[in-house]
Amino acid sequence: MCGIFGAFAADGTRPSDDALNAMGQSILHRGPDHIGLFSERLCGMGNCRLSIIDLTERGNQPQVSDDGQIAVVQNGEIYNYIELREELQKAGHRFDTSGDTEVLLRAFEAWGPDFVHRLNGMFAIAVFDRREDALYLFRDRLGVKPLYLYEAAPGHLLFASEIKALLQAGAPVKADMTAAAQYLALNYVPQPRTMFAGIRHLSPGHMARMDAQSGLRITRYWDLAQTPGETDMTEAEAQAGIIALLDDATRIRMRADAPFGAFLSGGLDSSSVVGFMSLYKTENLRSFSIGFDDARFDESSFAREAAERFGTIHQSQKMPVETTTRWARFVWHCDQPHGDVSFIPTDQVAGMAARDVRMVLTGDGADELFAGYEKYLDLFPGGRSDHLKEGWQDGFVRASGLMRDSEAERLLTGDLRDAFLDTDPYAPLSDEIRRAAQQDPINQVLMGETLTLLPGNNLVKPDRMAMANSLEVRSPFLDYRMAEFAFAIPGAMKLAGGETKAIMKRALLPMLGQSLTYRKKQMFTVPVGEWFRDALAQFCRETLLDGRLEARDIVDTAIVALMIDAHIAGTQNNTRQLRALISLELWFRLFIDRDPATLAQATQPGKAAAA
């Protein structure tokens, strides 16, 4: 796992190599082992490397073809690189490294841009082809790895793994109020928008091509929404497919030349991944978890149970209240506001793991693919969908969103109010639900969230917070084969009997046992709502009511003050709204105001939680 950055200018007036190196320095946390740069008149691009496969200097990037015509950089890992290399060797291609980036180079030589269809991995890839004077950019199918673009003028493009690298190269800093409205509707900024006007996030399963003649063209190369539903699949077939795919997806994600382990919460998803890991690594398998003093949020006992069941060397630490004052750090590393504060403990557990390993496997993605959230049962009680009425998609999105009923009309002001009320800020999710019309209603919802919530928030968390600690994260459930198979399973099987992840639990019961399989699900989040009432009450008031938020003319701070008072008094639960507003205000201070005190807090090195 690494970071990539670069620029293309059709007229040769791209940023200097010094400017490109500054882009790399701004995201050095993503790959502190080596910075490499490819420089040509039209194109310059580079890589910050975190060495996981082929730890030698030969594995450094960029990788350049023997004739100097093709250069490649990537952020991510190609899990089927061994099989691809064998195929290419049989076709006569020679290899100088044992890493996966050279496989991308030879694959592009052999198959051109269509090589992306053969990849199983998480990736953001840049390829400069001097034969065409063209730059190609690719993002993995499910959006595990980020890739941001800024088109400064026709024929001029900047790209990078993080927005801060684009800003370093001169991309302008201006808030996009439509993106801010979508953030306050959904609790995250959905792609392809970002909070920065003019900067876009290349969507999952998409590629971009830039050349002097055609300019920037973005196309979709893979579409999960086209997966046909297999309504005649049996439960036995579904269970067998889940086991076989999770087994193989875990196996190939354990390919590494550096030490690795797993995040283990003791929940169904992470426990099943660790279970399959234990089949291939029978000794010295390390696992890591974070806990809380509040028993309602603490999963430590379940993590220990799973660790004992699968024989891992387990480390668990408690997250103290004080670490939430490091809120600015998580917003800084994400480049955008997120209302989900579980980014903070993810940062903590990543810091702990990074002391011992360079890569971890996680259970990310299973909730969206197999219906792991209680909100799905609210919409589909007992797994039924025959009660739905026209427009149910919009009802679900608004009910699960951040701003409810007339809340936005009362709270928002100025340009942000106009953007919220004059557009449909919920549309990025509801449109994706509708686009999966060939699926049954349950799978339509899961599809929409897999294509929107997952890359917009739930995959940002492990990428950004692990990379902030120079740690790689791999997620077996996000194997594209698993995603395609999950949407061939009838949705009713996933919520059968009013049970979340019903078919997945039945499949994994023999491996995990009754206790781990059917334990009550706990959300991986911080008890910040409770802390807002006592230990963090002053932090909440100071952040939202010191006058800076009011001066932005985007929210009515008199209403915010009432929300805080009601929350502290216990007459309302405004946890979600308050934490979203805090993240939004900190984003303004970091990226718009460039406030020295907030920047100093955000950019200090991370620390693991106390034992």
Side-chain angles (χ1 to χ4, degrees), residues 556-611:
D556 185 338
T557 52
I559 299 296
V560 174
L562 292 175
M563 292 170 63
I564 295 173
D565 290 342
H567 184 85
I568 291 175
T571 57
Q572 293 179 6
N573 182 358
N574 293 320
T575 301
R576 298 182 77 217
Q577 294 89 336
L578 293 175
R579 68 191 190 189
L581 289 171
I582 288 171
S583 289
L584 182 61
E585 170 57 18
L586 291 176
W587 179 84
F588 272 100
R589 294 183 188 184
L590 288 167
F591 292 98
I592 302 298
D593 303 346
R594 303 294 295 178
D595 176 63
T598 311
L599 281 166
Q601 186 182 54
T603 55
Q604 61 183 309
K607 296 177 183 177

Side-chain angles (χ1 to χ4, degrees), residues 470-589:
S470 302
L471 180 75
E472 175 173 301
V473 170
R474 301 179 180 181
S475 306
F477 283 103
L478 296 173
D479 191 300
Y480 78 94
R481 300 170 299 168
M482 176 67 83
E484 291 176 345
F485 183 77
F487 286 103
I489 298 174
M493 286 188 190
K494 301 174 183 181
L495 295 175
E499 181 80 48
T500 58
K501 292 182 185 164
I503 190 65
M504 182 176 156
K505 289 174 180 176
R506 293 176 189 176
L508 293 168
L509 178 60
M511 170 179 279
L512 300 183
Q514 186 78 20
S515 175
L516 288 174
T517 302
Y518 288 101
R519 53 157 288 205
K520 181 176 175 56
K521 180 179 178 62
Q522 290 175 261
M523 296 298 291
F524 180 64
T525 191
V526 180
V528 71
E530 301 300 317
W531 296 347
F532 281 159
R533 294 190 169 101
D534 43 59
L536 293 180
Q538 187 65 21
F539 165 76
C540 184
R541 289 188 186 278
E542 288 178 353
T543 305
L544 298 178
L545 301 178
D546 73 348
R548 283 183 273 187
L549 178 59
E550 182 179 18
R552 302 190 198 286
D553 190 24
I554 56 175
V555 300
D556 185 338
T557 52
I559 299 296
V560 174
L562 292 175
M563 292 170 63
I564 295 173
D565 290 342
H567 184 85
I568 291 175
T571 57
Q572 293 179 6
N573 182 358
N574 293 320
T575 301
R576 298 182 77 217
Q577 294 89 336
L578 293 175
R579 68 191 190 189
L581 289 171
I582 288 171
S583 289
L584 182 61
E585 170 57 18
L586 291 176
W587 179 84
F588 272 100
R589 294 183 188 184

Side-chain angles (χ1 to χ4, degrees), residues 5 14-23 37-40 43-45:
F5 54 91
R14 65 170 178 82
S16 68
D17 289 356
D18 286 344
L20 293 177
N21 275 312
M23 293 177 75
L37 188 67
F38 169 84
S39 181
E40 199 270 357
C43 180
M45 59 187 190

Side-chain angles (χ1 to χ4, degrees), residues 55-208:
L55 308 183
T56 70
E57 291 183 1
R58 294 177 304 174
N60 289 342
Q61 301 181 41
Q63 294 276 316
V64 182
S65 61
D66 298 337
D67 59 7
Q69 296 299 298
I70 300 171
V72 176
V73 292
Q74 73 143 331
N75 164 31
E77 301 289 354
I78 309 304
Y79 303 124
N80 64 332
Y81 76 100
I82 292 176
E83 292 79 7
L84 289 174
R85 184 172 60 199
E86 291 173 351
E87 181 179 355
L88 288 162
Q89 284 175 326
K90 290 178 181 177
H93 290 267
R94 178 183 58 80
F95 286 82
D96 297 318
T97 77
S98 59
D100 59 337
T101 305
E102 189 184 11
V103 170
L104 295 177
L105 173 66
R106 305 305 177 193
F108 191 89
E109 286 183 307
W111 303 310
D114 286 342
F115 83 128
V116 70
H117 297 288
R118 298 172 180 257
L119 306 181
N120 184 346
M122 56 176 186
F123 52 82
I125 302 168
V127 181
F128 178 66
D129 189 341
R130 183 176 280 147
R131 299 168 303 184
E132 304 175 8
D133 282 341
L135 172 70
Y136 291 90
L137 301 168
F138 306 86
R139 189 169 179 215
D140 66 67
R141 294 171 178 85
L142 291 166
V144 182
K145 305 311 301 175
L147 186 56
Y148 297 95
L149 313 178
Y150 173 66
E151 192 173 9
H156 292 70
L157 184 72
L158 299 173
F159 67 89
S161 295
E162 296 186 15
I163 293 173
K164 60 179 62 67
L166 302 180
L167 304 182
Q168 186 69 42
V173 180
K174 181 183 178 183
D176 182 333
M177 284 299 153
T178 299
Q182 293 177 351
Y183 165 66
L184 290 178
L186 299 173
N187 215 31
Y188 56 91
V189 179
Q191 298 158 49
R193 284 192 181 272
T194 74
M195 277 292 294
F196 297 83
I199 295 177
R200 67 180 295 151
H201 204 167
L202 185 64
S203 294
H206 282 66
M207 60 175 285

Side-chain angles (χ1 to χ4, degrees), residues 284-297:
N284 300 320
L285 176 58
R286 291 185 172 274
S287 58
F288 308 89
S289 67
I290 202 81
F292 306 96
D293 289 326
D294 190 327
R296 292 171 299 171
F297 298 86

Side-chain angles (χ1 to χ4, degrees), residues 296-335:
R296 292 171 299 171
F297 298 86
D298 185 55
E299 299 181 282
S300 299
S301 62
F302 296 107
R304 286 194 298 271
E305 180 182 345
E308 291 171 2
R309 186 176 185 91
F310 298 115
T312 72
I313 301 170
H314 188 65
Q315 295 181 52
S316 178
Q317 297 179 352
K318 293 292 180 70
M319 176 182 164
V321 176
E322 293 76 22
T323 52
T324 54
T325 61
R326 299 175 64 78
W327 211 309
R329 170 178 159 83
F330 109 67
V331 175
W332 170 254
H333 278 285
C334 290
D335 292 322

